[in-house]
């Protein structure tokens, strides 16, 4: 009987011990059990190392790597990617968590013709938990260049991430979006499952890159410079719309309307109803 494929799950973490425990437990609660879990600890100052040692004594498929100096999430992700033994790989942010059938759903729906799989997800804000309604199905290069409709994690063959050199460690933000664009440009369209399999938790007060406007704007500018050659006029309008959002500028109906097109229609509406 053939052994089901091994999946590497990686988590990068920094000073979020309590949230990290929830993330790790969500991996060990998966219906699909042929996985290894790698945690990369980016110089945490709390009790993260103690927690990781505890999990290592309990699980043969658990490993972790701790840095003594702050290196950043992309460096830590790339460490995990290079250490991965799995045929497939997927990530998990330390403040988020998997729903129990996430890995099983990816294995059942994997099709090599797509560059990777992703899924719909729930977003937990401070006021409520809700299903983020995004279009599912095939996402091609034209679609992804309007805005990141994938999210922050994908399920992919490990060798594909390695072929592209992993995440761009020079980017202060937009690392996920940059990686998805590069993968789709290289390997073709991805596929998004309609079933939510992930919870993105924004309800806590821990530090996030998305709260650092200077880093986000800097990442945006580098992202545009890297991928402008792939973009047409409508894509560039979508990028201008994105900049309005990340600069936290108060939405101006006329300005948003003039930048609106079929590729960014939903994103534009979301800005207007904030």
């Amino acid at each position: 009987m053939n052994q089901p494929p091994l999946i590497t799950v990686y988590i990068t973490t920094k000073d979020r011990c309590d949230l990290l425990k929830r993330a790790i437990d969500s991996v060990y609660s998966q219906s699909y059990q042929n996985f290894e879990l790698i945690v990369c600890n980016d110089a945490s100052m709390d009790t993260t190392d103690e927690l990781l040692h505890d999990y290592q004594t309990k699980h043969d498929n658990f490993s972790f790597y701790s840095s003594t100096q702050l290196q950043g999430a992309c460096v830590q992700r790339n460490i995990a990617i290079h250490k991965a033994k799995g045929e497939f790989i997927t990530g998990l942010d330390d403040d988020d968590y998997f729903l129990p059938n996430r890995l099983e759903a990816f294995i059942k729906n994997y099709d090599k013709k797509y560059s990777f799989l992703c899924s719909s997800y729930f977003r937990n804000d401070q006021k409520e938990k809700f299903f983020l309604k995004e279009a599912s199905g095939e996402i091609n290069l034209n679609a992804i260049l309007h805005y990141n409709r994938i999210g922050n994690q994908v399920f992919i063959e490990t060798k594909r991430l390695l072929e592209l050199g992993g995440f761009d460690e020079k980017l202060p933000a937009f690392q996920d979006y940059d990686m998805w664009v590069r993968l789709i440009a290289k390997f073709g369209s991805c596929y998004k499952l309609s079933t939510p399999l992930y919870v993105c938790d924004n309800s806590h007060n821990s530090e996030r890159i998305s709260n650092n406007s200077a880093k986000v704007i800097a990442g945006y500018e580098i992202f545009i410079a890297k991928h402008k050659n792939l973009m047409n006029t409508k894509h560039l309008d979508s990028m201008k719309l994105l900049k309005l959002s990340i600069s936290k500028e108060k939405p101006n109906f006329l300005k948003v309307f003039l930048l609106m097109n079929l590729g960014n229609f939903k994103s534009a509406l979301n800005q207007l109803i904030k």
Side-chain angles (χ1 to χ4, degrees), residues 192-259:
K192 185 170 188 175
L193 304 180
S194 60
T195 305
L197 302 171
Y198 189 98
V199 178
C200 182
D201 188 359
N202 296 325
S203 65
H204 58 88
N205 295 315
S206 299
E207 183 180 353
R208 302 185 191 94
I209 289 177
S210 57
N211 291 338
N212 188 321
S213 297
K215 280 190 175 182
V216 173
I217 294 295
Y220 166 88
E221 299 292 351
I222 298 171
F223 175 85
I224 296 294
K226 285 184 70 172
H227 302 296
K228 192 172 183 178
N229 64 309
L230 299 174
M231 297 179 180
N232 59 33
T233 303
K234 290 183 178 179
H235 293 135
L236 292 172
D237 282 346
S238 295
M239 291 299 103
K240 291 174 185 175
L241 190 65
L242 177 58
K243 190 170 186 179
L244 291 178
S245 175
I246 63 178
S247 61
K248 305 193 186 304
E249 186 174 326
K250 187 176 180 180
N252 177 290
F253 179 83
L254 180 60
K255 190 179 289 187
V256 171
F257 178 78
L258 291 173
L259 294 173

Coordinates of all heavy atoms in Angstrom, one line a residue, residues 192-259:
K192 N -8.1 28.2 -6.1 CA -8.6 28.5 -4.8 C -9.8 27.7 -4.4 O -10.8 27.8 -5.2 CB -8.9 30.0 -4.7 CG -9.3 30.5 -3.3 CD -9.3 32.0 -3.2 CE -9.5 32.5 -1.8 NZ -9.5 33.9 -1.7
L193 N -9.8 26.9 -3.4 CA -10.9 26.1 -2.9 C -11.9 27.1 -2.2 O -11.6 28.0 -1.5 CB -10.4 25.1 -1.9 CG -9.3 24.1 -2.4 CD1 -9.0 23.1 -1.3 CD2 -9.8 23.4 -3.7
S194 N -13.2 26.8 -2.5 CA -14.3 27.6 -2.0 C -14.5 27.4 -0.5 O -15.0 28.3 0.2 CB -15.6 27.4 -2.7 OG -16.0 26.0 -2.6
T195 N -14.1 26.2 0.0 CA -14.4 25.9 1.4 C -13.3 26.6 2.3 O -12.1 26.5 2.1 CB -14.2 24.4 1.7 OG1 -15.1 23.7 0.8 CG2 -14.5 24.0 3.1
P196 N -13.8 27.3 3.3 CA -12.8 28.0 4.3 C -12.1 26.9 5.1 O -12.7 26.1 5.8 CB -13.7 28.9 5.1 CG -15.0 28.4 5.0 CD -15.2 27.7 3.7
L197 N -10.8 27.0 5.1 CA -9.9 26.0 5.8 C -8.9 26.6 6.8 O -8.1 25.9 7.3 CB -9.2 25.1 4.8 CG -10.0 24.4 3.7 CD1 -9.1 23.8 2.6 CD2 -10.8 23.3 4.4
Y198 N -9.1 27.9 7.0 CA -8.0 28.6 7.7 C -8.7 29.8 8.5 O -9.7 30.3 8.0 CB -7.0 29.2 6.7 CG -5.8 29.8 7.2 CD1 -4.6 29.1 7.3 CD2 -5.7 31.1 7.6 CE1 -3.4 29.6 7.7 CE2 -4.5 31.7 8.0 CZ -3.4 31.0 8.1 OH -2.2 31.5 8.5
V199 N -8.2 30.1 9.6 CA -8.7 31.3 10.3 C -7.6 32.3 10.5 O -6.5 32.0 11.1 CB -9.3 30.9 11.7 CG1 -9.7 32.2 12.5 CG2 -10.4 29.9 11.6
C200 N -7.8 33.5 9.9 CA -6.8 34.6 10.1 C -7.3 35.5 11.2 O -8.3 36.1 11.2 CB -6.8 35.4 8.8 SG -5.6 36.7 8.7
D201 N -6.5 35.5 12.3 CA -6.9 36.1 13.5 C -6.2 37.5 13.7 O -5.1 37.6 14.0 CB -6.5 35.2 14.7 CG -7.1 35.7 16.0 OD1 -7.8 36.8 16.0 OD2 -6.9 35.1 17.0
N202 N -7.0 38.5 13.5 CA -6.6 39.9 13.7 C -7.2 40.5 15.0 O -7.2 41.7 15.2 CB -7.0 40.8 12.5 CG -6.3 40.3 11.2 OD1 -5.2 39.9 11.3 ND2 -7.0 40.4 10.1
S203 N -7.6 39.7 15.9 CA -8.3 40.2 17.1 C -7.4 40.5 18.2 O -7.9 41.1 19.2 CB -9.3 39.1 17.6 OG -8.7 37.9 18.0
H204 N -6.1 40.2 18.1 CA -5.2 40.5 19.2 C -4.4 41.8 19.0 O -4.5 42.4 17.9 CB -4.2 39.3 19.4 CG -3.5 39.0 18.1 ND1 -2.3 39.6 17.8 CD2 -3.7 38.2 17.1 CE1 -1.8 39.2 16.7 NE2 -2.7 38.3 16.2
N205 N -3.6 42.1 19.9 CA -2.9 43.4 19.8 C -1.4 43.3 19.6 O -0.7 44.2 19.8 CB -3.1 44.2 21.1 CG -4.6 44.6 21.3 OD1 -5.2 45.1 20.4 ND2 -5.1 44.4 22.5
S206 N -1.0 42.1 19.2 CA 0.4 41.9 19.0 C 0.9 42.7 17.8 O 0.1 43.0 16.9 CB 0.7 40.4 18.7 OG 0.4 39.6 19.8
E207 N 2.2 43.0 17.7 CA 2.7 43.7 16.6 C 2.6 43.0 15.3 O 2.8 41.8 15.2 CB 4.2 44.0 16.9 CG 4.9 44.9 15.9 CD 6.3 45.2 16.1 OE1 6.8 44.8 17.2 OE2 7.0 45.8 15.3
R208 N 2.2 43.7 14.2 CA 2.1 43.2 12.9 C 2.8 44.1 11.9 O 2.8 45.3 12.1 CB 0.7 43.0 12.5 CG -0.2 42.2 13.3 CD -1.6 42.0 12.7 NE -2.5 41.4 13.6 CZ -3.3 42.1 14.4 NH1 -3.3 43.5 14.4 NH2 -4.2 41.6 15.2
I209 N 3.4 43.5 10.8 CA 4.0 44.4 9.8 C 2.9 45.2 9.2 O 3.1 46.4 8.8 CB 4.6 43.5 8.7 CG1 5.9 42.8 9.2 CG2 4.9 44.3 7.4 CD1 6.5 41.9 8.2
S210 N 1.6 44.7 9.1 CA 0.6 45.5 8.4 C 0.2 46.7 9.2 O -0.4 47.6 8.7 CB -0.7 44.6 8.3 OG -1.1 44.1 9.5
N211 N 0.7 46.8 10.5 CA 0.4 48.0 11.2 C 1.5 49.1 11.1 O 1.4 50.2 11.6 CB 0.3 47.7 12.7 CG -1.0 46.9 13.0 OD1 -2.0 47.0 12.2 ND2 -1.1 46.2 14.1
N212 N 2.6 48.7 10.4 CA 3.7 49.6 10.2 C 3.7 50.2 8.9 O 4.1 49.6 7.9 CB 5.1 48.8 10.4 CG 6.3 49.7 10.4 OD1 6.4 50.7 9.7 ND2 7.2 49.4 11.3
S213 N 3.1 51.4 8.8 CA 2.8 52.1 7.5 C 4.1 52.3 6.7 O 4.0 52.1 5.4 CB 2.1 53.4 7.7 OG 0.9 53.2 8.3
A214 N 5.2 52.6 7.3 CA 6.4 52.9 6.6 C 6.9 51.6 5.9 O 7.3 51.7 4.7 CB 7.5 53.4 7.5
K215 N 6.9 50.5 6.6 CA 7.3 49.2 6.0 C 6.4 48.8 4.9 O 6.8 48.3 3.8 CB 7.3 48.1 7.1 CG 8.6 48.1 7.9 CD 8.6 46.9 8.8 CE 10.0 46.8 9.6 NZ 10.0 45.6 10.4
V216 N 5.1 49.0 5.1 CA 4.1 48.6 4.1 C 4.3 49.4 2.8 O 4.3 48.8 1.7 CB 2.7 48.7 4.6 CG1 1.7 48.4 3.5 CG2 2.4 47.7 5.7
I217 N 4.4 50.7 2.9 CA 4.6 51.6 1.7 C 6.0 51.2 1.0 O 6.0 51.1 -0.2 CB 4.6 53.0 2.1 CG1 3.2 53.5 2.7 CG2 5.0 53.9 1.0 CD1 2.1 53.4 1.6
A218 N 7.0 51.0 1.8 CA 8.3 50.6 1.2 C 8.2 49.3 0.4 O 8.7 49.1 -0.7 CB 9.4 50.5 2.3
G219 N 7.5 48.3 1.0 CA 7.3 47.0 0.4 C 6.5 47.2 -0.9 O 6.8 46.5 -1.9
Y220 N 5.5 48.0 -0.8 CA 4.6 48.3 -2.0 C 5.5 48.9 -3.2 O 5.3 48.4 -4.3 CB 3.5 49.3 -1.6 CG 2.8 49.9 -2.8 CD1 1.7 49.3 -3.3 CD2 3.2 51.2 -3.3 CE1 1.0 49.9 -4.4 CE2 2.5 51.7 -4.4 CZ 1.4 51.1 -4.9 OH 0.8 51.7 -6.0
E221 N 6.3 49.8 -2.9 CA 7.1 50.4 -3.9 C 8.1 49.4 -4.6 O 8.3 49.4 -5.8 CB 8.0 51.6 -3.3 CG 7.1 52.7 -2.8 CD 6.3 53.5 -3.8 OE1 6.5 53.3 -5.0 OE2 5.5 54.4 -3.4
I222 N 8.7 48.6 -3.8 CA 9.6 47.5 -4.3 C 8.8 46.5 -5.1 O 9.2 46.1 -6.2 CB 10.3 46.8 -3.2 CG1 11.2 47.8 -2.4 CG2 11.2 45.7 -3.7 CD1 11.8 47.2 -1.1
F223 N 7.6 46.2 -4.6 CA 6.7 45.2 -5.4 C 6.4 45.8 -6.8 O 6.5 45.0 -7.8 CB 5.5 45.0 -4.6 CG 4.5 44.1 -5.3 CD1 4.5 42.7 -5.2 CD2 3.4 44.7 -6.0 CE1 3.6 41.9 -5.9 CE2 2.5 43.9 -6.7 CZ 2.6 42.5 -6.6
I224 N 6.0 47.0 -6.8 CA 5.7 47.7 -8.1 C 6.9 47.6 -9.0 O 6.8 47.3 -10.2 CB 5.2 49.1 -7.9 CG1 3.9 49.1 -7.1 CG2 5.0 49.8 -9.3 CD1 2.7 48.5 -7.8
A225 N 8.0 48.0 -8.5 CA 9.3 48.0 -9.3 C 9.6 46.6 -9.9 O 10.0 46.5 -11.0 CB 10.4 48.6 -8.5
K226 N 9.4 45.6 -9.1 CA 9.7 44.2 -9.5 C 8.7 43.7 -10.6 O 9.2 43.0 -11.5 CB 9.6 43.3 -8.3 CG 10.8 43.3 -7.4 CD 10.7 42.3 -6.3 CE 10.9 40.9 -6.8 NZ 11.0 39.9 -5.7
H227 N 7.5 44.1 -10.5 CA 6.5 43.5 -11.4 C 5.8 44.4 -12.4 O 4.9 44.0 -13.1 CB 5.4 42.8 -10.5 CG 6.0 41.8 -9.6 ND1 6.6 40.6 -10.0 CD2 6.1 41.7 -8.2 CE1 7.0 39.9 -9.0 NE2 6.7 40.6 -7.9
K228 N 6.3 45.6 -12.5 CA 5.6 46.6 -13.4 C 5.6 46.1 -14.8 O 4.7 46.4 -15.6 CB 6.3 48.0 -13.2 CG 5.5 49.1 -13.9 CD 6.2 50.5 -13.6 CE 5.4 51.6 -14.2 NZ 6.0 52.9 -13.8
N229 N 6.7 45.4 -15.2 CA 6.8 44.9 -16.6 C 5.7 43.9 -16.9 O 5.4 43.7 -18.1 CB 8.1 44.3 -16.8 CG 8.3 43.0 -15.9 OD1 8.1 43.0 -14.7 ND2 8.7 41.9 -16.6
L230 N 5.0 43.3 -15.9 CA 3.9 42.4 -16.2 C 2.6 43.1 -16.2 O 1.6 42.5 -16.6 CB 3.9 41.4 -15.0 CG 5.1 40.5 -14.9 CD1 4.9 39.6 -13.6 CD2 5.3 39.6 -16.1
M231 N 2.5 44.4 -15.8 CA 1.3 45.1 -15.6 C 0.9 45.9 -16.8 O 1.7 46.6 -17.4 CB 1.4 45.9 -14.4 CG 1.6 45.1 -13.1 SD 1.7 46.2 -11.6 CE 2.0 45.1 -10.3
N232 N -0.5 45.9 -17.1 CA -1.0 46.9 -18.0 C -1.6 48.1 -17.3 O -1.5 48.2 -16.1 CB -2.1 46.2 -18.9 CG -3.2 45.6 -18.1 OD1 -3.6 46.1 -17.1 ND2 -3.8 44.5 -18.6
T233 N -2.2 49.0 -18.0 CA -2.8 50.2 -17.4 C -3.8 49.9 -16.3 O -3.8 50.6 -15.3 CB -3.4 51.1 -18.5 OG1 -2.4 51.4 -19.5 CG2 -3.9 52.4 -17.9
K234 N -4.6 48.9 -16.6 CA -5.7 48.6 -15.6 C -5.0 48.0 -14.3 O -5.5 48.3 -13.2 CB -6.7 47.6 -16.2 CG -7.6 48.2 -17.2 CD -8.6 47.3 -17.7 CE -9.5 47.9 -18.7 NZ -10.5 47.0 -19.3
H235 N -4.0 47.2 -14.5 CA -3.3 46.7 -13.3 C -2.7 47.8 -12.5 O -2.8 47.9 -11.2 CB -2.2 45.7 -13.7 CG -2.6 44.5 -14.3 ND1 -2.1 43.9 -15.4 CD2 -3.6 43.6 -14.0 CE1 -2.7 42.8 -15.8 NE2 -3.6 42.6 -14.9
L236 N -2.1 48.8 -13.2 CA -1.5 49.9 -12.5 C -2.5 50.8 -11.8 O -2.3 51.3 -10.7 CB -0.7 50.8 -13.5 CG 0.5 50.1 -14.1 CD1 1.1 50.9 -15.2 CD2 1.6 49.9 -13.0
D237 N -3.7 50.9 -12.4 CA -4.8 51.6 -11.6 C -5.2 50.8 -10.4 O -5.5 51.4 -9.3 CB -6.1 51.7 -12.5 CG -6.0 52.8 -13.6 OD1 -5.1 53.6 -13.5 OD2 -6.8 52.7 -14.5
S238 N -5.2 49.5 -10.4 CA -5.5 48.7 -9.2 C -4.4 48.9 -8.2 O -4.7 48.9 -7.0 CB -5.5 47.2 -9.6 OG -6.6 46.9 -10.5
M239 N -3.1 49.1 -8.6 CA -2.1 49.3 -7.7 C -2.2 50.7 -7.0 O -1.9 50.9 -5.8 CB -0.7 49.2 -8.4 CG -0.3 47.8 -8.8 SD -0.2 46.6 -7.4 CE -1.7 45.7 -7.6
K240 N -2.7 51.7 -7.8 CA -3.0 53.0 -7.2 C -4.1 52.9 -6.2 O -4.0 53.6 -5.1 CB -3.3 54.0 -8.3 CG -2.2 54.3 -9.3 CD -2.7 55.2 -10.4 CE -1.6 55.4 -11.4 NZ -2.1 56.2 -12.6
L241 N -5.1 52.1 -6.5 CA -6.2 51.9 -5.5 C -5.6 51.2 -4.3 O -6.0 51.6 -3.1 CB -7.2 51.0 -6.2 CG -8.6 50.8 -5.5 CD1 -9.3 52.1 -5.4 CD2 -9.4 49.8 -6.2
L242 N -4.8 50.2 -4.4 CA -4.2 49.6 -3.3 C -3.4 50.5 -2.4 O -3.4 50.5 -1.2 CB -3.2 48.4 -3.8 CG -2.5 47.6 -2.7 CD1 -3.4 47.0 -1.7 CD2 -1.6 46.6 -3.4
K243 N -2.7 51.5 -3.1 CA -1.9 52.4 -2.3 C -2.8 53.3 -1.5 O -2.4 53.7 -0.3 CB -1.0 53.3 -3.2 CG 0.0 54.1 -2.5 CD 1.0 54.8 -3.4 CE 2.1 55.5 -2.6 NZ 3.1 56.1 -3.4
L244 N -3.9 53.7 -2.0 CA -4.9 54.5 -1.2 C -5.3 53.7 0.1 O -5.4 54.3 1.1 CB -6.2 54.8 -2.0 CG -6.1 55.7 -3.2 CD1 -7.4 55.8 -3.9 CD2 -5.6 57.1 -2.8
S245 N -5.4 52.4 -0.1 CA -5.8 51.6 1.1 C -4.7 51.5 2.1 O -4.9 51.7 3.3 CB -6.3 50.2 0.6 OG -6.5 49.4 1.7
I246 N -3.5 51.2 1.7 CA -2.4 51.0 2.6 C -1.9 52.3 3.3 O -1.3 52.2 4.3 CB -1.2 50.2 2.0 CG1 -0.6 51.0 0.9 CG2 -1.7 48.8 1.5 CD1 0.6 50.3 0.2
S247 N -2.1 53.4 2.6 CA -1.7 54.7 3.2 C -2.8 55.2 4.1 O -2.6 56.3 4.7 CB -1.5 55.7 2.0 OG -2.7 55.9 1.3
K248 N -3.9 54.4 4.2 CA -5.0 54.7 5.2 C -5.6 56.1 4.9 O -6.1 56.8 5.7 CB -4.5 54.7 6.6 CG -3.9 53.3 7.0 CD -3.7 53.1 8.5 CE -2.9 51.8 8.8 NZ -3.5 50.6 8.2
E249 N -5.5 56.4 3.6 CA -6.2 57.7 3.1 C -7.7 57.5 3.1 O -8.2 56.5 2.8 CB -5.7 58.0 1.7 CG -6.1 59.3 1.2 CD -5.5 59.6 -0.2 OE1 -4.4 59.2 -0.4 OE2 -6.2 60.3 -1.0
K250 N -8.4 58.6 3.6 CA -9.8 58.5 3.6 C -10.4 58.3 2.2 O -10.0 59.1 1.3 CB -10.4 59.8 4.3 CG -11.9 59.7 4.5 CD -12.4 61.0 5.2 CE -13.9 60.9 5.4 NZ -14.4 62.1 6.1
P251 N -11.2 57.3 2.0 CA -11.7 57.0 0.7 C -12.4 58.2 0.0 O -13.3 58.9 0.7 CB -12.7 55.9 0.9 CG -12.3 55.3 2.1 CD -11.8 56.4 3.0
N252 N -12.1 58.6 -1.2 CA -12.7 59.6 -2.0 C -13.5 58.9 -3.1 O -12.9 58.3 -3.9 CB -11.6 60.6 -2.5 CG -12.2 61.7 -3.4 OD1 -12.7 61.4 -4.5 ND2 -12.2 62.9 -2.9
F253 N -14.8 59.1 -3.1 CA -15.6 58.4 -4.1 C -15.1 58.6 -5.5 O -15.0 57.6 -6.3 CB -17.1 58.8 -4.0 CG -18.0 58.1 -4.9 CD1 -18.4 56.8 -4.6 CD2 -18.3 58.6 -6.1 CE1 -19.3 56.1 -5.6 CE2 -19.1 58.0 -7.1 CZ -19.6 56.7 -6.8
L254 N -14.9 59.8 -5.9 CA -14.5 60.1 -7.3 C -13.2 59.5 -7.6 O -13.0 58.9 -8.7 CB -14.4 61.6 -7.5 CG -14.0 62.0 -8.9 CD1 -15.0 61.5 -10.0 CD2 -14.0 63.6 -9.0
K255 N -12.2 59.6 -6.7 CA -10.9 59.0 -6.9 C -10.9 57.5 -7.1 O -10.3 56.9 -8.0 CB -9.9 59.4 -5.8 CG -8.5 59.1 -6.0 CD -7.6 59.5 -4.8 CE -7.5 61.0 -4.7 NZ -6.5 61.4 -3.7
V256 N -11.7 56.8 -6.2 CA -11.9 55.4 -6.3 C -12.6 55.0 -7.5 O -12.2 54.0 -8.2 CB -12.6 54.8 -5.0 CG1 -12.9 53.4 -5.2 CG2 -11.7 55.1 -3.8
F257 N -13.6 55.7 -7.9 CA -14.4 55.4 -9.1 C -13.6 55.5 -10.3 O -13.7 54.6 -11.2 CB -15.6 56.4 -9.2 CG -16.5 56.2 -10.4 CD1 -17.4 55.2 -10.4 CD2 -16.3 57.0 -11.5 CE1 -18.2 54.9 -11.6 CE2 -17.1 56.8 -12.6 CZ -18.0 55.8 -12.7
L258 N -12.7 56.5 -10.4 CA -11.9 56.6 -11.6 C -10.8 55.5 -11.8 O -10.4 55.3 -12.9 CB -11.2 58.0 -11.6 CG -12.1 59.2 -11.8 CD1 -11.3 60.5 -11.6 CD2 -12.8 59.2 -13.2
L259 N -10.5 54.9 -10.7 CA -9.5 53.8 -10.7 C -10.2 52.4 -10.8 O -9.5 51.4 -11.0 CB -8.6 53.8 -9.4 CG -7.7 55.0 -9.3 CD1 -7.1 55.0 -7.9 CD2 -6.7 55.1 -10.4

